[in-house]
Amino acid sequence: MPFFLADVLEVGVPTIDEWVVWAILASPIVSWALIALYLRKIPAVAGYVTIAAVGLSAVLSVIVLFNVMDADGGTVVFTHEWFTAGSLEVNFGARIDGLSAIMLVVVTSVSFLVQIFSQGYMEGDKGYGRYYAHMSLFTASMLGLVLADNLFMLFVFWELVGLCSYLLIGFWFHKPSAAAAAKKAFIVTRIGDLGLLAAVLLIWAEGGTFQIDEIHQLALTGALSSTVITWFTLGLFAGAAGKSAQFPLHVWLPDAMEGPTPVSALIHAATMVAAGVYLMGRFFPVLELTTDAQGVVAWIGALTALIAATIAVVQTDFKRVLAYSTISQLGYMMLALGVFGYVAALFHLMTHAFFKALLFLGSGSVNHATNTFDMRKMGGLRTAMPFTFWTFVIGSLSLAGIFPLAGFWSKDEILHDAWDENLALWAIAAFVAFLTAFYMFRAVFLTFFGEYKGGEPVDHHDEESHFHGDPAHPHESGWVMRLPLIILAVPAIAAGWVNMAGMTDWFGRMVAGALPEPELHAVSFDWWIAGSSTVIALAGIGTAWAIYYRGVIASSTLRDAFYPLAAIFENKYFLDRLYEDFFARTVLQRWWNRLLELIDVYIVDGIVNGAGTVSRGLSSRLGVLQNGQVQAYGLGLVVGVVILVAAVFTANPL
């Protein structure tokens, strides 16, 4: 059946026009095509086209969300035959339910504000048009991933997200560090993607389908064995670990800070890193059926959260603090999924998208004023940049989990689920909550309090530099950068209110409606958990205040006292050295390349050259038979016939 001629399959009650759904995806794709083909050399127009396209997708996403809300959940699927190859049938379809509708709004709204902020941050950059083309395709890829109704289509957009991240992380490709970071992100995430590809092939071989609903039903009805379910889930998690930067595949994400700061905001808030958590949430009915995979997800998540939080404590680069914070919070979300906290994980994914986008854009505003991300060259910026200061504090308080901001409600649910399932996991999560509050307000005090250190001088001979301010006299960013900060501060405060148990558990009902048995995932509230998490967060803030504001004890003294641990944290648990120095340079470049060289010389070349040698030898030996005498040829022919006749009669005597 030709593409886009199949009948529409509708399941559930939402009444949504199909063109609205496809327009959400098509709008940024059209923007990308226009900029790539015609507008790349007209920067101002390219920026406005991207903003308009993503804005249209955001408006349509809100319309879709309200339709799903009016129907009190439910599902609608628009699916069309894409192609067939023998028994393989692949559809191109869009699935709209509570989970995908909320994710559409989160992705498009955050992306829209990032595009506006980018107009000020990227002003004067020579790659301005190219930047907006990549951002359009990046947004479209994430939207396609969210909308996908089957695993094959999801995998296609999954890989497009990885490609776009490579292009944007290495946007300033003239910088060796940016080019290296882009390659590192691409290679490390490909390792995880091999696991996802294996899961795709496994489910097709065992279940004969890529449709998400059908995979759920096969698992729930027992049509798939427990072994298949476990390996399928672990394959999904391998892909999620790559994209969502879970240990040991988390090492690419801090280096991704080499890209423009608005790119970091989009990658770390609503697109690439969110993809892994969304994938595991989408297949949560399968994850629930395998205790082995649940344990792996929970403990890997807890380990990731702890490792990243301890590294963030010693970072001096403003953006890298936020990068390790993102890794830690993603670990929180995976931990939640591993302890059956489906609603909690996705709730934190939503709230985190808003306050982390706010924090990254705030760091970009600071960089725009000081020409540096080194917190040792900052200080005292709260008076020079009041809008950036207050919005950054709001984001930090939300991330720390202070009542009544958004992060309090989502983090509290994760701690509650961990407490109910495993006290060891709860203890790790609680300690990470303390560290989160500590390192975020360490960054606040180092950046915005004390005396200004002068920033980074501008190299006016650097033609590639897009910084045109005066770091010696920092000032507040313009309104095109200020406005997105103010807007994002609102959901950083209030987004958590949509899921307050006992008052409005709207978010929980919406995302649980995407599951076969939504009634099993009700939201609850525990005053003890809420109170203890608040005390822990305040203790972290107080510790940062005592060290970095009051100076009760010097940070250098603490470093000396805990030197072995400090050295481990500063060297990022030596994982980068292990991967780059041992695996990349020793195992791959020396041993593996030497092995391939030996295989090439002695096996490949040996077979080829040996075949040639044998052929030459035989031809030289057989050549003596060709003496040019007709009598000898006739004799040989007669002898051959006699031998054949004798052989026939010997095998079949009369």
Side-chain angles (χ1 to χ4, degrees):
M1 188 176 294
F3 181 55
F4 277 116
L5 293 182
D7 292 332
V8 172
L9 169 65
E10 296 191 9
V11 183
V13 286
T15 55
I16 303 169
D17 291 331
E18 184 178 5
W19 72 266
V20 173
V21 176
W22 293 120
I24 294 172
L25 176 61
S27 182
I29 293 178
V30 171
S31 168
W32 164 73
L34 287 174
I35 296 171
L37 295 175
Y38 305 109
L39 303 176
R40 195 174 53 167
K41 301 300 183 181
I42 313 176
V45 177
Y48 286 121
V49 167
T50 300
I51 291 171
V54 177
L56 175 60
S57 293
V59 171
L60 296 177
S61 297
V62 172
I63 293 173
V64 168
L65 178 61
F66 277 114
N67 273 273
V68 177
M69 288 171 56
D70 289 342
D72 197 24
T75 302
V76 58
V77 177
F78 303 102
T79 190
H80 305 268
E81 185 179 298
W82 189 358
F83 66 86
T84 59
S87 60
L88 175 64
E89 296 182 2
V90 179
N91 294 331
F92 193 94
R95 176 189 175 92
I96 299 295
D97 53 26
L99 174 57
S100 59
I102 290 172
M103 284 299 298
L104 287 175
V105 173
V106 171
V107 172
T108 55
S109 60
V110 171
S111 179
F112 177 66
L113 294 172
V114 168
Q115 310 314 323
I116 294 176
F117 183 91
S118 298
Q119 284 202 308
Y121 190 85
M122 298 298 293
E123 183 181 6
D125 194 284
K126 293 182 178 180
Y128 191 90
R130 173 168 55 91
Y131 170 85
Y132 273 107
H134 293 342
M135 290 291 265
S136 294
L137 185 59
F138 198 10
T139 303
S141 301
M142 188 64 194
L143 292 174
L145 191 155
V146 169
L147 287 170
D149 76 326
N150 65 83
L151 195 52
F152 188 96
M153 178 180 165
L154 187 150
F155 184 76
V156 171
F157 283 105
W158 182 274
E159 293 303 313
L160 276 174
V161 167
L163 170 63
C164 293
S165 69
Y166 169 79
L167 295 173
L168 286 166
I169 293 169
F171 177 77
W172 288 317
F173 54 83
H174 58 277
K175 296 168 54 180
S177 58
K183 288 188 290 185
K184 185 175 182 179
F186 195 78
I187 293 170
V188 172
T189 55
R190 290 294 76 70
I191 295 172
D193 290 352
L194 286 175
L196 178 57
L197 178 60
V200 173
L201 296 176
L202 176 64
I203 203 63
W204 168 254
E206 298 294 331
T209 183
F210 294 122
Q211 294 299 124
I212 293 174
D213 281 336
E214 294 178 8
I215 294 173
H216 289 169
Q217 288 303 314
L218 288 172
L220 293 171
T221 57
L224 297 175
S225 69
S226 59
T227 302
V228 170
I229 292 174
T230 298
W231 283 109
F232 172 67
T233 307
L234 290 175
L236 293 177
F237 182 63
K243 283 289 190 291
S244 291
Q246 299 297 290
F247 174 84
L249 300 180
H250 65 284
V251 293
W252 68 269
L253 195 143
D255 290 357
M257 299 301 95
E258 292 293 337
T261 298
V263 171
S264 302
L266 197 56
I267 288 177
H268 289 241
T271 52
M272 186 167 174
V273 299
V277 179
Y278 174 81
L279 174 69
M280 298 306 295
R282 178 56 79 193
F283 285 92
F284 187 74
V286 182
L287 175 63
E288 280 188 302
L289 299 175
T290 166
T291 55
D292 292 337
Q294 279 180 342
V296 171
V297 172
W299 281 102
I300 289 293
L303 188 60
T304 301
L306 181 61
I307 288 174
T310 52
I311 297 175
V313 166
V314 298
Q315 293 298 303
T316 57
D317 185 288
F318 204 14
K319 273 212 302 184
R320 286 182 182 265
V321 172
L322 299 179
Y324 282 107
S325 169
T326 297
I327 298 172
S328 183
Q329 297 307 302
L330 291 167
Y332 244 94
M333 299 171 206
M334 289 298 184
L335 186 158
L337 288 168
V339 294
F340 302 97
Y342 167 79
V343 173
L346 295 172
F347 188 29
H348 198 53
L349 179 65
M350 180 192 74
T351 60
H352 177 265
F354 292 120
F355 58 68
K356 187 52 64 70
L358 171 61
L359 291 169
F360 266 108
L361 295 185
S363 73
S365 179
V366 170
N367 170 252
H368 199 260
T370 63
N371 195 36
T372 185
F373 286 108
D374 191 338
M375 293 185 293
R376 294 169 298 185
K377 298 179 181 179
M378 299 179 187
L381 294 176
R382 72 184 187 280
T383 54
M385 308 180 70
F387 283 95
T388 301
F389 167 66
W390 285 111
T391 53
F392 195 90
V393 168
I394 289 171
S396 299
L397 288 169
S398 189
L399 175 57
I402 299 300
F403 177 86
L405 278 71
F408 165 80
W409 302 99
S410 56
K411 186 173 290 187
D412 174 74
E413 289 190 21
I414 293 175
L415 290 168
H416 189 186
D417 289 328
W419 176 266
D420 288 342
E421 290 297 322
N422 189 305
L423 291 181
L425 289 172
W426 173 86
I428 294 173
F431 182 57
V432 171
F434 169 83
L435 293 176
T436 302
F438 173 77
Y439 65 65
M440 282 310 304
F441 277 85
R442 170 180 176 266
V444 168
F445 291 125
L446 288 175
T447 303
F448 295 102
F449 290 82
E451 297 295 328
Y452 182 56
K453 312 297 190 306
E456 183 71 29
V458 182
D459 182 2
H460 295 288
H461 299 287
D462 183 5
E463 296 181 357
E464 299 291 342
S465 175
H466 66 285
F467 183 82
H468 304 294
D470 180 10
H473 302 90
H475 58 82
E476 186 63 85
S477 302
W479 277 104
V480 73
M481 297 172 66
R482 214 180 303 176
L483 187 60
L485 297 177
I486 296 171
I487 295 174
L488 282 168
V490 175
I493 296 171
W497 303 349
V498 301
N499 205 43
M500 294 187 292
M503 290 170 276
T504 169
D505 57 351
W506 170 81
F507 182 91
R509 288 185 288 106
M510 287 288 289
V511 297
L515 300 177
E517 299 175 330
E519 66 278 0
L520 300 180
H521 299 277
V523 178
S524 59
F525 184 81
D526 188 297
W527 285 103
W528 187 91
I529 295 292
S532 62
S533 66
T534 301
V535 170
I536 289 169
L538 291 174
I541 295 173
T543 304
W545 172 83
I547 297 172
Y548 296 100
Y549 183 75
R550 296 295 297 174
V552 173
I553 184 172
S555 58
S556 58
T557 302
L558 285 174
R559 183 185 181 280
D560 293 339
F562 296 96
Y563 175 72
L565 285 176
I568 292 173
F569 300 159
E570 290 169 357
N571 286 280
K572 298 170 282 188
Y573 289 82
F574 299 95
L575 289 172
D576 281 292
R577 291 190 182 183
L578 175 66
Y579 293 160
E580 295 177 15
D581 295 341
F582 179 69
F583 285 112
R585 294 188 177 92
T586 302
V587 175
L588 293 180
Q589 290 186 6
R590 296 181 185 176
W591 300 348
W592 179 249
N593 288 350
R594 179 57 178 164
L595 176 62
L596 293 179
E597 180 184 1
L598 293 174
I599 291 173
D600 182 59
V601 171
Y602 293 103
I603 297 179
V604 177
D605 289 348
I607 292 174
V608 174
N609 296 336
T613 301
V614 170
S615 298
R616 285 195 302 271
L618 286 174
S619 65
S620 64
R621 299 295 184 274
L622 294 174
V624 300
L625 300 177
Q626 306 297 319
N627 53 20
Q629 298 180 3
V630 178
Q631 300 92 329
Y633 296 161
L635 177 61
L637 177 62
V638 171
V639 171
V641 171
V642 171
I643 292 173
L644 287 174
V645 170
V648 170
F649 278 99
T650 301
N652 300 286
L654 297 176

